[in-house]
Amino acid sequence: MPRPIQAVIHVNALQHNLDIARQHAPNSRLFAVVKANAYGHGIERVYDAFKTADGFALLDLDEAIRLRTLGWKGQIILLEGVFHLDDLSICEQYELSFVVHNQNQVTWLENYIGNASFHIYLKMNSGMNRLGFVPEAYTEIWHMLSRLRSVHEITHMTHFSDADGTRFGEPGVCYQYTRFDQITAPLQGKRSLSNSAAILRHHQIHSDDTRAGILLYGSSPDYPTHSSQDWGIQPSMSLRSEIIAVQDIHAGDSVGYSSTFIAKHRMRIGIVACGYADGYQRISPTGTPILVNGQMTQLIGRVSMDMLAVDLTAIPDADLGAEVVLWGKSKYGTVLPIDEVAASAGTLGYELMCGITARVAFCIEN
Ligand SMILES: *Cc1c(COP(=O)(O)O)cnc(C)c1O
């Protein structure tokens, strides 16, 4: 038998979450963001659930080619655009759309000698200061690109830095949206603005093409303001393992490396086949929630490379082979939201999903 750790992908949850995104933006084309191998889920595993989307968005050419191999004929957007002039011929071959955000990418389109005429997403840096052309330069670049033979359609695009909260006391999209709107209003073309947080929280924004990522995977983009239950989204990934050893300890005994945990009374400790080499965050402190046999308990002591310890004192029937859920859904029906585990480790559901390592086996379950 393989080591008993598995990442379980819930296809029904992916479909359900896609429906939720649609309900929030019924008049938009919905793009499923599947970068980073579908947020760690595996593009091939999510494809069937997402193929009713209007398009896919990702970063890597090889991931785009995998979508074509699966049979996807619709639109695919490269969110960071191309990285080299030669990439344009791959975009031609696989009919890919892409973001244009820097001057090199503009020059490559000018110098492109192939036959394709691309649908591009011209990105404005509306205040996040990551990618895109500043508002003052945008209009001129738009006019220039609209005249190129290599460009047949330009969608205006920007990305919000604070759609999950506030920016200087205002709803976190106001400033960027106003700047974007001022500049793009006189120019023809569709718009692509909303990420998950904007889709759920900012219905006043019209985004012709939305870009839904994290919400599709059942993690709340604005946790703890709203939990996944508040948004009605379901976990699409469960990290499950088993108890592989049990220790009965007494007051004064320690658990794990560096003896960071010392028992105050008699305890029953379970050892779980999951450690940081599986993608569980080493920084997670004692008290991080864990489910055993569907019941809530907590991490004890340091996370080691291949193991961690849980408190079984209140779960006496949990013995060798008992189910452990590090995040997601238990076979007993209980859910441990990934956002709660991430918050305990000072990070986000995004990072936990993307961080599952290669030695963890995946399976699909409904
Ligand atoms: C990752 C990404 C998204 C999706 O963001 P979520 O917060 O996961 O919904 C949208 N747009 C761009 C440009 C991105 O890079």
Side-chain angles (χ1 to χ4, degrees):
M1 283 289 276
R3 190 165 160 265
I5 180 162
Q6 275 193 322
V8 184
I9 303 303
H10 307 288
V11 176
N12 290 352
L14 294 164
Q15 273 162 349
H16 168 86
N17 297 338
L18 191 81
D19 290 343
I20 297 282
R22 277 239 188 265
Q23 286 163 23
H24 281 270
N27 302 316
S28 299
R29 295 203 308 155
L30 174 63
F31 280 72
V33 181
V34 293
K35 62 189 177 189
N37 200 20
Y39 289 49
H41 289 57
I43 287 181
E44 288 74 12
R45 288 181 204 100
V46 303
Y47 178 68
D48 275 339
F50 289 170
K51 66 186 179 193
T52 58
D54 300 298
F56 287 91
L58 42 68
L59 306 182
D60 295 295
L61 286 169
D62 72 304
E63 291 189 340
I65 294 169
R66 277 160 63 194
L67 275 175
R68 291 294 183 226
T69 307
L70 286 164
W72 178 249
K73 301 231 177 347
Q75 209 179 343
I76 300 176
I77 312 173
L78 304 176
L79 290 171
E80 289 180 350
V82 295
F83 302 100
H84 193 275
L85 172 63
D86 296 345
D87 293 347
L88 290 177
S89 37
I90 301 173
C91 292
E92 172 174 347
Q93 185 184 350
Y94 291 96
E95 297 185 36
L96 309 178
S97 309
F98 47 87
V99 168
V100 173
H101 68 84
N102 70 26
Q103 188 54 51
N104 277 357
Q105 295 170 335
V106 173
T107 308
W108 296 331
L109 280 170
E110 288 175 305
N111 297 338
Y112 173 67
I113 51 163
N115 296 317
S117 192
F118 297 106
H119 180 172
I120 64 171
Y121 285 68
L122 183 58
K123 190 156 190 182
M124 185 190 296
N125 171 9
S126 58
M128 188 175 195
N129 287 312
R130 208 172 59 170
L131 303 184
F133 297 97
V134 292
E136 298 73 25
Y138 189 89
T139 306
E140 193 183 326
I141 289 170
W142 182 85
H143 281 293
M144 206 277 286
L145 287 167
S146 346
R147 289 192 289 268
L148 293 183
R149 195 178 54 86
S150 55
V151 172
H152 85 88
E153 183 172 348
I154 307 179
T155 297
H156 306 290
M157 175 182 176
T158 198
H159 192 54
F160 295 121
S161 53
D162 301 273
D164 56 338
T166 59
R167 181 183 186 277
F168 305 147
E170 282 194 274
V173 293
C174 288
Y175 168 81
Q176 286 180 269
Y177 186 58
T178 306
R179 298 216 78 191
F180 179 83
D181 200 42
Q182 278 165 354
I183 303 290
T184 57
L187 310 175
Q188 53 159 275
K190 296 202 175 75
R191 300 159 161 221
S192 175
L193 297 108
S194 298
N195 59 359
S196 295
I199 291 168
L200 294 173
R201 292 167 57 99
H202 302 289
H203 292 175
Q204 79 278 19
I205 286 181
H206 182 67
S207 183
D208 296 293
D209 295 354
T210 59
R211 308 185 302 269
I214 196 70
L215 94 88
L216 301 182
Y217 305 99
S219 166
S220 169
D222 65 348
Y223 183 84
T225 308
H226 295 94
S227 67
S228 48
Q229 294 99 311
D230 293 337
W231 292 123
I233 53 179
Q234 298 170 0
S236 60
M237 176 196 280
S238 301
L239 183 62
R240 291 189 191 148
S241 182
E242 289 179 9
I243 301 289
I244 58 166
V246 176
Q247 307 295 339
D248 291 297
I249 63 170
H250 300 90
D253 287 348
S254 69
V255 177
Y257 283 119
S258 308
S259 299
T260 59
F261 178 83
I262 298 177
K264 294 199 180 69
H265 45 76
R266 289 184 67 148
M267 292 177 82
R268 211 163 151 262
I269 298 293
I271 304 302
V272 182
C274 176
Y276 60 80
D278 301 297
Y280 193 90
Q281 302 266 312
R282 182 179 175 279
I283 200 168
S284 309
T286 290
T288 301
I290 294 181
L291 297 175
V292 177
N293 281 350
Q295 295 177 60
M296 191 68 83
T297 180
Q298 53 169 333
L299 176 73
I300 296 289
R302 278 271 158 86
V303 174
S304 45
M305 188 171 182
D306 312 311
M307 284 170 264
L308 55 80
V310 282
D311 186 359
L312 298 182
T313 312
I315 315 174
D317 57 324
D319 212 332
L320 297 180
E323 182 209 61
V324 178
V325 171
L326 288 316
W327 62 73
K329 229 182 311 189
S330 157
K331 287 181 196 141
Y332 299 89
T334 338
V335 169
L336 172 55
I338 194 169
D339 299 321
E340 292 179 21
V341 181
S344 180
T347 184
L348 302 173
Y350 296 77
E351 194 179 9
L352 297 189
M353 292 174 188
C354 297
I356 301 282
T357 61
R359 76 179 190 184
V360 176
F362 277 77
C363 69
I364 288 181
E365 185 184 294
N366 283 325

